[in-house]
């Protein structure tokens, strides 16, 4: 599993490319312009950068040049995407001309990461973090082979498309569990630190809602937020993880029953994000265990690592995550974040 930074100023393209990279079993950082990409690269040190060329503030070519001049990031491979440039540039490790086939993009990702060392925990990392990393790395190989074989089956003329779609969904689920396991181990070991900035929270929430609207068009998702900026000191990438976990739970646990409502409200000292669904709800005896790792779900035998991770990231921001739920009445998850 590698950390891949994807930069593109078109939200739809950014989400598609990010999903492809995640489906391949890697963690993704998203940037919407060159300056944001450079800042994330310096803060998180990804193993690969994928960037569009035509972006505001800093073009893809300029980003390549700045990465090459950075003594820490100079050897990080960069895939440059462009509909304007006819060929690659010396500063980029690889080049794809837009439009391109997803299979070509996946192949280039694999080639670029083939000889790139995967980030490893420090030699003195706590045992729980080392264990999480070992499990994730052990599963990565078999999952990658399974993904490649699934793609071969898709190309077969007599393939059972419904069965292949089901297998693909299960593979994505296993890859997500692998990523969450490693993240949960780092959180349990106290190895996660925030890289906070002072920004308007609303656009970050809006982008996650739009992403889930695209992924689950059959579910009505409504966002209510103040018109004025909601200033807050937070880590954008980590808060996006929290939002993503809450929306994932609302969409999947809601089972398509009714709509999902996302509400952002503010007071003098607090910012609150509520995610309401009209799904099955949770039995009272399960509520106290929702944010505890490795607790089995009564309905499907799965685990709630995503909610545990979201709760821990909220705590690192000085906030908290809570839930109100009743069977057959839906659930409301509330993220509370202090201002100032």
């Amino acid at each position: 599993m590698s950390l891949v930074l994807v930069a593109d100023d078109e939200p739809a393209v950014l989400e598609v490319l990010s999903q492809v990279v995640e489906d391949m079993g890697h963690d993704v950082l998203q940037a919407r312009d060159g300056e944001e990409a450079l800042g994330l690269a310096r803060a998180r040190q990804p193993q690969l950068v994928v960037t569009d060329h035509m972006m505001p503030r800093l073009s893809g070519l300029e980003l390549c040049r700045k990465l090459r001049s950075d003594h820490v990031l100079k050897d990080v491979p960069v895939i440059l995407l462009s509909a304007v440039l006819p060929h690659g540039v010396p500063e980029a490790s690889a080049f794809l001309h837009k439009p391109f086939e997803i299979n070509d993009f996946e192949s280039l990702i694999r080639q670029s990461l083939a000889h790139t060392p995967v980030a490893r925990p420090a030699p003195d990392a706590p045992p729980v973090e080392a264990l999480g990393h070992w499990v994730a790395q052990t599963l990565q190989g078999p999952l990658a082979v399974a993904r490649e074989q699934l793609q071969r089956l898709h190309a077969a003329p007599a393939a059972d498309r419904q069965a292949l779609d089901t297998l693909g969904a299960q593979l994505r689920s296993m890859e997500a569990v692998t990523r969450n396991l490693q993240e949960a181990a780092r959180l349990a070991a106290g190895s996660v630190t925030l890289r906070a900035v002072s920004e308007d929270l609303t656009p970050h929430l809006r982008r996650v809602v739009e992403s889930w609207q695209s992924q689950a068009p059959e579910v009505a998702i409504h966002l209510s937020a103040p018109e004025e900026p909601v200033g807050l000191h937070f880590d954008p990438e980590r808060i996006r993880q929290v939002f993503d976990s809450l929306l994932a739970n609302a969409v999947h646990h809601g089972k398509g029953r009714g709509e999902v409502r996302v509400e952002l409200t503010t007071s003098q000292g607090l910012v609150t994000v509520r995610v309401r669904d009209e799904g099955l709800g949770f039995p009272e005896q399960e509520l106290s265990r929702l944010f505890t790792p490795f607790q089995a779900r009564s309905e499907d035998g799965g685990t709630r690592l995503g909610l545990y991770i979201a709760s821990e990231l909220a705590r690192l921001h000085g906030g908290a995550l809570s839930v109100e739920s009743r069977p057959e009445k839906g659930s409301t998850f509330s993220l509370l974040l202090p201002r100032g």
Side-chain angles (χ1 to χ4, degrees), residues 177-197:
V177 169
T178 301
R179 292 193 297 271
N180 283 344
L181 177 61
Q182 191 167 19
E183 184 79 338
R186 294 184 65 230
L187 283 163
S191 301
V192 175
T193 57
L194 300 182
R195 294 174 173 85
V197 297

Side-chain angles (χ1 to χ4, degrees), residues 33 71-72 90 98 145 162 181 196 224 242 248 255 280:
D33 60 59
H71 73 282
V72 175
K98 289 183 172 181
V145 172
Q162 184 174 359
L181 177 61
S224 172
V242 178
K255 306 293 186 184
L280 300 175

Side-chain angles (χ1 to χ4, degrees), residues 150-220:
L150 183 62
Q151 290 175 344
R152 289 183 59 188
L153 289 174
H154 267 291
D160 184 335
R161 300 299 171 186
Q162 184 174 359
L164 292 181
D165 288 343
T166 300
L167 286 173
Q170 292 302 314
L171 269 179
R172 288 192 294 273
S173 177
M174 292 175 65
E175 288 162 349
V177 169
T178 301
R179 292 193 297 271
N180 283 344
L181 177 61
Q182 191 167 19
E183 184 79 338
R186 294 184 65 230
L187 283 163
S191 301
V192 175
T193 57
L194 300 182
R195 294 174 173 85
V197 297
S198 294
E199 290 186 2
D200 180 8
L201 183 66
T202 307
H204 297 271
L205 177 59
R206 192 178 305 279
R207 281 193 285 266
V208 174
V209 170
E210 290 173 351
S211 173
W212 275 102
Q213 286 176 327
S214 176
Q215 294 180 57
E218 72 281 3
V219 180

Side-chain angles (χ1 to χ4, degrees), residues 15-25 102 105-106 109:
E15 290 301 330
V16 169
L17 296 180
S18 298
Q19 188 62 56
V20 171
V21 175
E22 287 185 348
D23 287 347
M24 295 176 69
I102 292 298
F105 178 66
E106 292 178 338
I109 293 288

Side-chain angles (χ1 to χ4, degrees), residues 86-330:
H87 306 290
V89 297
E91 294 85 351
S93 311
F95 176 77
L96 269 180
H97 190 274
K98 289 183 172 181
F100 51 81
E101 297 291 333
I102 292 298
N103 287 344
D104 294 336
F105 178 66
E106 292 178 338
S107 177
L108 206 51
I109 293 288
R110 292 191 185 94
Q111 293 173 22
S112 300
L113 290 172
H115 305 292
T116 301
V118 177
R120 301 186 182 279
D124 58 348
V128 65
E129 181 182 356
L131 176 62
H133 181 84
W134 178 82
V135 172
Q137 290 303 306
T138 301
L139 291 176
Q140 183 178 350
L143 288 173
V145 172
R147 173 65 61 186
E148 291 178 0
Q149 295 303 312
L150 183 62
Q151 290 175 344
R152 289 183 59 188
L153 289 174
H154 267 291
D160 184 335
R161 300 299 171 186
Q162 184 174 359
L164 292 181
D165 288 343
T166 300
L167 286 173
Q170 292 302 314
L171 269 179
R172 288 192 294 273
S173 177
M174 292 175 65
E175 288 162 349
V177 169
T178 301
R179 292 193 297 271
N180 283 344
L181 177 61
Q182 191 167 19
E183 184 79 338
R186 294 184 65 230
L187 283 163
S191 301
V192 175
T193 57
L194 300 182
R195 294 174 173 85
V197 297
S198 294
E199 290 186 2
D200 180 8
L201 183 66
T202 307
H204 297 271
L205 177 59
R206 192 178 305 279
R207 281 193 285 266
V208 174
V209 170
E210 290 173 351
S211 173
W212 275 102
Q213 286 176 327
S214 176
Q215 294 180 57
E218 72 281 3
V219 180
I221 305 176
H222 302 282
L223 172 62
S224 172
E227 294 185 2
E228 64 276 7
V230 178
L232 194 69
H233 196 62
F234 63 98
D235 183 324
E237 186 64 26
R238 296 304 188 179
I239 283 295
R240 178 181 177 276
Q241 282 183 262
V242 178
F243 293 158
D244 195 61
S245 292
L246 296 182
L247 264 297
N249 181 80
V251 169
H252 296 313
H253 195 74
K255 306 293 186 184
R257 295 169 41 142
E259 59 190 16
V260 173
R261 292 195 169 272
V262 182
E263 180 184 24
L264 172 61
T265 60
T266 66
S267 64
Q268 185 174 0
L270 196 66
V271 171
T272 303
V273 177
R274 294 184 179 88
V275 179
R276 297 186 176 96
D277 67 68
E278 299 177 0
L280 300 175
F282 296 97
E284 183 176 355
Q285 63 269 22
E286 287 195 18
L287 293 181
S288 62
R289 306 198 303 267
L290 283 180
F291 306 122
T292 302
F294 310 116
Q295 293 291 320
R297 288 178 172 173
S298 60
E299 74 276 10
D300 60 9
T303 59
R304 296 193 183 87
L305 282 179
L307 291 177
Y308 164 71
I309 291 170
S311 177
E312 288 299 294
L313 292 176
R315 183 183 59 80
L316 286 177
H317 280 84
L321 192 59
S322 63
V323 60
E324 298 177 11
S325 183
R326 288 190 298 164
E328 303 298 329
K329 299 294 184 180

